[in-house]
């Protein structure tokens, strides 16, 4: 059933590439930005746990995978079958605790937890020729996600705090260093560096709390948008705009919106 559904999609892509002017015109470069947009739309749906949209956005991403593979096949680079087989081979190779290799692999841990799986994954990648455990982190990832991935990668080789209390001490240390740079009127670049260190530490602390820092910030973004637009609506209902209100007046409306939300929860 899955195979029939996938073959149907591949066949449709073949037809569109042959007959549709828009699809015929696309290149891997023209698709790139659209792929990024589809990925973010999927992450939004995941944050909202909107299963209907998750299904739709997964379909859009699957289409892009098939589309890239079709273009690659036209240029005699690779086929969709090679894409699927390559990831299957990689999964088998990097899960020796599930698919034991024909030859014993030195340096791997006995798998007793998900952390052992992650550590083995990084060790296998190094054996495959990676020069650094950090080399698999994409350069152009959004900064918060990149920080999370860098910290998680470093953890796999033991470069990690032992407990969350130690991480919080680091957060407080970075806060003091930022405040010191501000108080001593150090350069903007220096203050930026200290702020970056503080943010990196806070993201690290979030990891120790098993909180997705990017998801947490996005939830706060959505909460701010909701409350701010309610402020605008309340002001408009009184024949005013926020531009005409003082900060104290806006704070009063903000707090009323916030308290109303808390009462409904």
């Amino acid at each position: 059933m899955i195979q029939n559904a996938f073959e149907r999609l591949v066949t449709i892509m073949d037809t569109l590439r042959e007959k549709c002017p828009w699809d015929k015109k696309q290149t891997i470069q023209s698709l790139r930005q659209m792929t990024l947009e589809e990925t973010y739309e999927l992450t939004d749906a995941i944050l909202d746990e909107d299963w209907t949209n998750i299904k739709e956005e997964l379909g859009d991403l699957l289409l892009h995978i098939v589309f890239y593979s079709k273009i690659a096949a036209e240029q005699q680079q690779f086929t969709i079958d090679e894409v699927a087989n390559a990831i299957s081979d990689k999964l088998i190779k990097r899960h020796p605790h599930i698919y034991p290799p024909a030859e014993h692999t030195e340096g791997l841990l006995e798998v007793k937890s998900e952390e052992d799986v992650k550590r083995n994954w990084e060790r296998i990648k190094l054996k495959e020729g990676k020069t650094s455990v950090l080399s698999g982190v994409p350069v152009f990832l959004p900064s918060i996600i990149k920080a999370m991935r860098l910290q998680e990668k470093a953890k796999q080789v033991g470069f990690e705090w032992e407990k969350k209390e130690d991480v919080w001490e680091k957060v407080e240390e970075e806060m003091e260093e930022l405040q010191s740079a501000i108080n001593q009127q150090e350069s903007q670049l220096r203050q930026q560096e200290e702020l970056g260190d503080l943010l990196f530490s806070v993201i690290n602390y979030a990891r120790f709390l098993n909180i997705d820092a990017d998801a947490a910030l996005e939830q706060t973004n959505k909460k701010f948008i909701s409350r701010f637009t309610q402020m605008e609506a309340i002001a408009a209902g009184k024949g005013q705009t926020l531009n005409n209100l003082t900060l104290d007046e806006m704070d009063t409306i903000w707090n009323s919106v916030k308290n109303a939300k808390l009462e409904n929860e």
Side-chain angles (χ1 to χ4, degrees):
M1 197 66 181
I2 294 176
Q3 184 176 0
N4 291 339
F6 187 72
E7 288 176 353
R8 179 185 179 214
L9 176 59
V10 171
T11 300
I12 291 172
M13 183 73 258
D14 290 341
T15 302
L16 293 178
R17 188 67 173 170
E18 178 184 351
K19 298 181 179 181
C20 175
W22 185 88
D23 289 282
K24 289 170 65 175
K25 184 179 179 181
Q26 301 312 306
T27 66
I28 58 174
Q29 288 79 18
S30 68
L31 289 174
R32 177 180 176 275
Q33 185 60 42
M34 287 182 280
T35 304
L36 289 173
E37 292 173 7
E38 296 295 353
T39 302
Y40 280 112
E41 288 176 4
L42 173 59
T43 62
D44 282 345
I46 291 172
L47 281 176
D48 294 336
E49 294 190 12
D50 184 341
W51 289 101
T52 299
N53 274 334
I54 289 174
K55 179 180 70 174
E56 180 179 347
E57 299 305 337
L58 284 173
D60 290 342
L61 274 182
L62 181 57
L63 171 61
H64 278 234
I65 293 169
V66 172
F67 210 151
Y68 285 117
S69 299
K70 175 62 178 176
I71 295 172
E74 292 169 352
Q75 298 184 16
Q76 299 182 329
Q77 297 296 327
F78 55 80
T79 66
I80 189 65
D81 286 345
E82 289 176 294
V83 172
N85 283 325
I87 187 58
S88 295
D89 291 342
K90 180 187 289 186
L91 288 172
I92 290 172
K93 186 174 182 180
R94 294 186 180 177
H95 290 80
H97 56 291
I98 304 297
Y99 305 99
E103 298 180 2
H104 177 68
T105 304
E106 295 290 340
L108 297 184
L109 301 170
E110 179 184 356
V111 172
K112 297 180 180 179
S113 68
E114 64 171 307
E115 291 304 321
D116 293 334
V117 174
K118 292 178 182 178
R119 291 189 179 96
N120 280 346
W121 185 282
E122 297 302 333
R123 293 181 184 190
I124 291 170
K125 288 203 293 185
L126 288 174
K127 289 179 180 293
E128 291 173 350
K130 302 288 186 182
T131 57
S132 169
V133 296
L134 304 180
S135 60
V137 179
V139 174
F140 296 110
L141 271 181
S143 297
I144 291 180
I145 299 176
K146 183 188 288 186
M148 293 163 57
R149 295 294 295 133
L150 291 172
Q151 292 166 4
E152 187 64 30
K153 292 281 188 180
K155 174 184 177 181
Q156 304 314 320
V157 295
F159 192 68
E160 176 78 308
W161 297 97
E162 291 187 1
K163 52 186 184 295
K164 66 177 182 294
E165 289 78 12
D166 295 333
V167 186
W168 184 249
E169 286 183 12
K170 183 63 175 176
V171 172
E172 293 180 321
E173 176 187 320
E174 297 297 350
M175 289 174 64
E176 291 174 2
E177 291 181 3
L178 172 61
Q179 192 61 58
S180 174
I182 294 170
N183 292 340
Q184 296 180 28
Q185 298 183 328
E186 296 189 33
S187 69
Q188 187 76 15
L189 185 60
R190 179 61 177 168
Q191 292 180 30
Q192 176 179 299
E193 179 182 347
E194 294 299 345
L195 178 60
D197 291 345
L198 174 58
L199 292 173
F200 193 84
S201 297
V202 170
I203 292 168
N204 206 11
Y205 188 63
R207 278 198 317 111
F208 272 76
L209 298 179
N210 293 317
I211 291 174
D212 182 327
D214 185 70
L217 181 57
E218 182 56 24
Q219 288 173 340
T220 297
N221 289 339
K222 290 184 175 183
K223 181 167 61 177
F224 181 83
I225 291 171
S226 174
R227 292 178 179 176
F228 193 87
T229 53
Q230 287 181 67
M231 282 177 57
E232 292 175 314
I234 291 172
K238 297 178 180 178
Q240 299 174 310
T241 66
L242 297 185
N243 289 331
N244 303 130
L245 301 179
T246 66
L247 181 57
D248 286 341
E249 290 171 328
M250 284 190 282
D251 277 340
T252 298
I253 299 175
W254 176 272
N255 288 329
S256 69
V257 171
K258 179 179 178 180
N259 291 334
K261 174 65 175 176
L262 292 175
E263 289 175 3
N264 293 329
E265 289 181 347

